């Protein structure tokens, strides 16, 4: 069950603008975010209560929470921007930015729309802490890119063991055991555009974490006319490809080696009374290539 | 013979002694002559070729330097040059492996107890 608190924070600005558009039309768009921070921190306990007493669907719940949090807003707007922060009750917990607050909660997820897996990210590490941290990061990144995902699912651990003699010479009875456990986590992404999945993977690559290895399997849909599409893509790539291909080829010294007439003369034409084996003997080079 | 094969410049990192250099030379020579060996092997095994040619190829193959054989290559400890008890995963002899594992130089390797 994902926490709904930080989702509420996300949706607040839009709904506030809709509901209080008449009064807030003149106010600039930037101020609302600092003003809402106290509101949010106040509302966190109430949202928990709301979830406990009502077992509604998440969307209804969010709507209810938002409607509650929106009502006090016009009063807050009456105050100037400067004292909006100070007007919050002194007994309330300190103002925490929503992004910091979200880090303390379970990562949010989008529900699956079609359930078609498009990418699987496998994370491997010898350290649980690094792995758990980075898997969490990957899930959060997927949420903010709008990708529904499942996981991190733990995969079977790979346990390697070595037994070596303790001494550098003889004494077989004194041995020591060592082991290395590779932990794995799997994050599966569903129903994403290929470009978005690429962005997600690039982002994870950019912020890759020490001691955590990554492997991604990506699946894409392709039309029936794959060859036609490749031909069209090729025309766009042609110029870049030519620049690369210009660097390959035969050098000048091999020009005479590849002369067709010369090769034929070397082989000798098949004539009356000359067996094919003779021709083949002549064509074979027995020179040492080195 | 072997000195003729030896590279002017060694691309070796880590421990070096004469055995390591010899093994390095063997690896290089094998890599260089592998296509030739494979061609000769193909000729020897191809029954559609004339017997004379196949026998010649056999002779040539057997006359190639022993350094061109893959069986000459031996994994040695990169830290101490030891030839026996080398762990493939770490390319280290067992004692070097133990010292490094206890020092914590090998990521993820711990003392096991079960």
């Amino acid at each position: 069950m994902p926490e709904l608190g930080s989702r509420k924070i996300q949706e607040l600005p839009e709904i506030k603008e809709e509901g209080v558009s008449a009064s807030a039309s003149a106010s600039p768009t930037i101020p609302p975010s600092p003003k809402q921070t106290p509101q949010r921190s106040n509302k966190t306990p109430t949202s928990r209560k709301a979830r406990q007493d009502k077992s509604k669907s998440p969307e209804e719940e969010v709507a209810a929470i938002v409607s509650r949090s929106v009502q006090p807003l016009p009063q807050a707007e009456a105050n100037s921007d400067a004292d909006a922060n100070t007007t919050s009750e002194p007994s309330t917990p300190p103002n925490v930015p929503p992004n910091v607050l979200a880090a303390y909660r379970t990562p949010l997820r989008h529900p699956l729309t079609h359930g078609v897996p498009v990418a699987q990210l496998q994370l491997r590490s010898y350290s649980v802490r690094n792995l758990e941290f980075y898997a969490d990061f990957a899930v959060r990144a997927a949420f903010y890119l709008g990708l529904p995902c499942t996981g991190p699912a733990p995969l079977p651990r790979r346990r390697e063991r070595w037994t070596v003699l303790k001494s550098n010479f003889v004494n077989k009875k004194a041995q020591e055991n060592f082991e290395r456990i590779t932990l794995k986590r799997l994050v599966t992404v569903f129903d994403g555009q290929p470009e978005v999945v690429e962005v997600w993977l690039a982002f994870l690559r950019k912020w890759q974490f020490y001691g955590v290895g990554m492997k991604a399997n990506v699946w894409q849909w392709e039309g029936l006319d794959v060859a036609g599409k490749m031909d069209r893509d090729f025309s766009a790539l042609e110029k870049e490809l030519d620049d690369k291909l210009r660097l390959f080829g035969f050098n000048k010294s091999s020009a005479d080696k590849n002369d067709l007439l010369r090769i034929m003369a070397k082989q000798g034409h098949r004539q009356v009374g000359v067996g094919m084996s003779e021709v083949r003997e002549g064509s074979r080079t027995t020179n040492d290539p080195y | 013979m072997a000195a003729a094969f030896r590279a002017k410049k060694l691309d070796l990192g880590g421990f070096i002694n004469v055995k390591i250099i010899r093994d390095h030379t063997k690896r290089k020579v094998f890599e260089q002559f592998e296509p030739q060996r494979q061609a000769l092997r193909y000729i020897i095994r191809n029954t559609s070729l004339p017997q004379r040619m196949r026998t010649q190829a056999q002779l040539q193959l057997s006359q190639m330097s022993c350094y061109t054989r893959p069986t000459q290559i031996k994994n040695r400890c990169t830290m101490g040059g030891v030839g026996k008890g080398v762990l493939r995963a770490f390319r280290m002899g067992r004692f070097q492996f133990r010292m490094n594992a206890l020092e914590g130089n090998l990521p993820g390797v711990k003392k096991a107890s079960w």
Side-chain angles (χ1 to χ4, degrees):
Chain A
M1 178 71 194
E3 289 261 348
L4 289 157
S6 36
R7 165 172 278 203
K8 175 197 78 183
I9 288 159
Q10 277 216 318
E11 295 190 354
L12 251 177
E14 302 163 17
I15 295 163
K16 193 222 79 185
E17 276 172 16
E18 286 163 20
V20 206
S21 58
S23 63
S25 56
S27 66
T29 51
I30 305 155
S33 51
K35 263 184 272 169
Q36 277 156 17
T37 315
Q39 302 289 342
R40 249 167 257 136
S41 45
N42 297 348
K43 286 298 168 282
T44 314
T46 60
S47 69
R48 292 237 174 85
K49 265 181 237 155
R51 205 185 312 131
Q52 280 162 8
D53 53 31
K54 288 180 227 167
S55 57
K56 285 182 185 173
S57 73
E59 285 75 15
E60 287 174 329
E61 214 171 309
V62 168
I65 293 160
V66 167
S67 65
R68 257 186 248 169
S69 60
V70 163
Q71 277 154 9
L73 265 174
Q75 302 158 11
E77 291 209 355
N79 303 326
S80 68
D81 287 357
D83 59 2
N85 287 327
T86 54
T87 46
S88 61
E89 298 90 324
S91 61
T92 53
N95 298 342
V96 184
N99 51 356
V100 175
L101 209 59
Y104 285 95
R105 299 182 172 170
T106 51
L108 297 167
R109 285 160 205 276
H110 293 293
L112 310 188
T113 48
H114 298 93
V116 180
V118 291
Q120 273 189 336
L121 180 76
Q122 202 182 100
L123 303 168
R124 290 189 187 196
S125 178
Y126 304 131
S127 147
V128 191
R129 289 183 58 161
N130 292 359
L131 190 68
E132 285 290 326
F133 173 80
Y134 201 67
D136 190 70
F137 177 80
V139 169
R140 286 171 197 275
F143 173 77
Y144 290 114
L145 283 169
L147 293 170
C149 73
T150 60
L155 293 178
R157 302 188 292 180
R158 184 178 177 210
R159 194 185 282 258
E160 294 159 288
R161 286 205 176 108
W162 299 275
T163 305
V164 295
L165 302 196
K166 278 196 171 183
S167 72
N168 57 350
F169 185 64
V170 296
N171 298 331
K172 175 72 172 169
K173 280 186 182 173
Q175 300 196 353
E176 206 164 13
N177 290 308
F178 291 93
E179 73 177 344
R180 183 172 68 181
I181 305 171
T182 313
L183 306 138
K184 303 179 207 169
R185 293 284 184 279
L186 188 72
V187 178
T188 314
V189 172
F190 295 87
D191 317 323
Q193 292 291 322
E195 293 81 18
V196 185
V197 174
E198 288 284 313
V199 168
W200 182 61
L201 291 174
F203 182 74
L204 294 181
R205 184 87 188 276
K206 185 185 174 190
W207 296 105
Q208 57 189 343
F209 202 58
Y210 73 97
V212 180
M214 292 187 281
K215 181 178 89 173
N217 293 325
V218 181
W219 301 288
Q220 287 183 16
W221 294 100
E222 199 58 83
L224 283 175
D225 186 23
V226 186
K229 185 174 172 290
M230 285 168 80
D231 283 346
R232 267 171 270 128
D233 287 351
F234 176 70
S235 59
L237 289 171
E238 211 169 5
K239 199 184 158 294
E240 283 180 39
L241 196 64
D242 279 349
D243 291 344
K244 292 280 178 202
L245 287 177
R246 204 159 290 126
L247 303 173
F248 295 92
F250 292 108
N251 55 13
K252 279 175 187 149
S253 66
S254 66
D256 54 333
K257 277 187 211 156
N258 291 313
D259 185 14
L260 199 61
L261 288 173
R262 191 186 263 254
I263 292 169
M264 284 169 72
K266 206 172 159 194
Q267 284 184 347
H269 294 287
R270 195 178 171 196
Q271 294 164 357
V272 179
V274 179
M276 270 306 277
S277 61
E278 299 282 322
V279 175
R280 189 175 55 200
E281 285 286 325
S283 71
R284 199 177 69 244
T285 56
T286 48
N287 297 335
D288 189 339
Y290 300 97
Chain B
M1 184 61 193
F5 284 131
R6 194 172 302 142
K8 293 285 174 290
K9 203 172 150 191
L10 303 178
D11 44 351
L12 279 173
F15 186 84
I16 290 184
N17 64 11
V18 66
K19 292 170 195 168
I20 292 267
I21 293 173
R22 195 173 298 151
D23 185 62
H24 173 260
T25 309
K26 286 173 180 176
R27 283 170 194 267
K28 289 280 176 192
V29 171
F30 168 67
E31 190 191 3
Q32 191 190 358
F33 282 89
E34 197 190 356
Q36 201 182 343
R37 284 190 73 88
Q38 294 296 348
L40 289 172
R41 276 157 51 84
Y42 169 79
I43 292 167
I44 292 166
R45 281 161 175 68
N46 192 343
T47 48
S48 67
L49 292 173
Q51 190 57 49
R52 182 182 161 77
M53 185 203 287
R54 294 173 62 195
T55 315
Q56 274 178 345
Q58 261 179 3
L59 207 65
Q60 268 189 40
L61 189 65
S62 65
Q63 277 172 354
M64 285 176 81
S65 168
C66 65
Y67 273 33
T68 61
R69 283 181 206 142
T71 52
Q72 293 275 323
I73 293 168
K74 170 91 180 154
N75 290 339
R76 303 193 78 93
C77 172
T78 53
M79 308 289 281
V82 171
K84 291 184 182 179
V86 178
L87 302 184
R88 186 175 284 257
F90 301 95
R91 303 201 295 162
M92 261 182 223
R94 56 177 169 78
F95 192 66
Q96 287 293 335
F97 165 74
R98 178 170 172 266
M99 301 304 281
N100 281 290
L102 291 176
E103 261 177 49
N105 294 340
L106 308 174
V109 179
K110 290 175 205 157
K111 286 250 295 178
S113 166
W114 70 92

